[in-house]
Amino acid sequence: MATTDLTTADFQQTLEDSDILLVDFWADWCGPCKQFAPVYSQVSEQHPDVTFAKVDTEAERELAAAANITSIPTLMAFREKVLVFSQPGALNAEQLTEVITAVKDLDMAEVHKQIAEDAAEQDTKPQG
């Protein structure tokens, strides 16, 4: 599956429509980003069940800021609309495949349970 360019306007809809969404935050002037791009594209062809997207941090500054991107490339992985992985730095094909496998293997019932427990814990903490 080819990679998709994401903008602020279509990020949320793409997140809603994708069970697993990988997002590569990059910029044209970034050497490591240019090295990672063909790896990302190649691995995307091997996983048609995963949405592979790219965000040009120069063109989409608002989206990059909302994602708290401080260095590029940064890879983020979402599963069922939950951010489950975020790491700066270029990966090789083997490392990227390992990330995808780990995301696919997540027990999302457990992840959602942990999120709910964390939220409940925050609600019971005294404000001060």
Side-chain angles (χ1 to χ4, degrees), residues 10-88:
D10 58 13
F11 182 87
Q12 191 62 41
Q13 189 60 53
T14 303
L15 184 61
E16 296 284 332
D17 293 344
S18 306
D19 180 47
I20 298 175
L21 171 64
L22 264 61
V23 183
D24 171 25
F25 289 86
W26 67 282
D28 193 48
W29 52 262
C30 167
C33 297
K34 288 186 174 199
Q35 291 174 330
F36 181 56
V39 171
Y40 192 68
S41 182
Q42 173 196 2
V43 172
S44 77
E45 298 297 329
Q46 300 163 10
H47 298 276
D49 55 330
V50 176
T51 302
F52 286 77
K54 298 175 77 66
V55 173
D56 180 346
T57 57
E58 290 296 309
E60 296 297 327
R61 292 177 188 265
E62 185 179 310
L63 183 52
N68 295 317
I69 301 301
T70 56
S71 66
I72 53 173
T74 290
L75 178 68
M76 289 187 169
F78 298 86
R79 172 120 182 249
E80 296 178 12
K81 300 183 276 277
V82 176
L83 177 63
V84 295
F85 178 86
S86 179
Q87 178 179 307

Side-chain angles (χ1 to χ4, degrees), residues 79 97-107:
R79 172 120 182 249
T97 300
E98 287 174 9
V99 168
I100 294 166
T101 300
V103 170
K104 288 181 177 181
D105 289 348
L106 283 172
D107 178 348

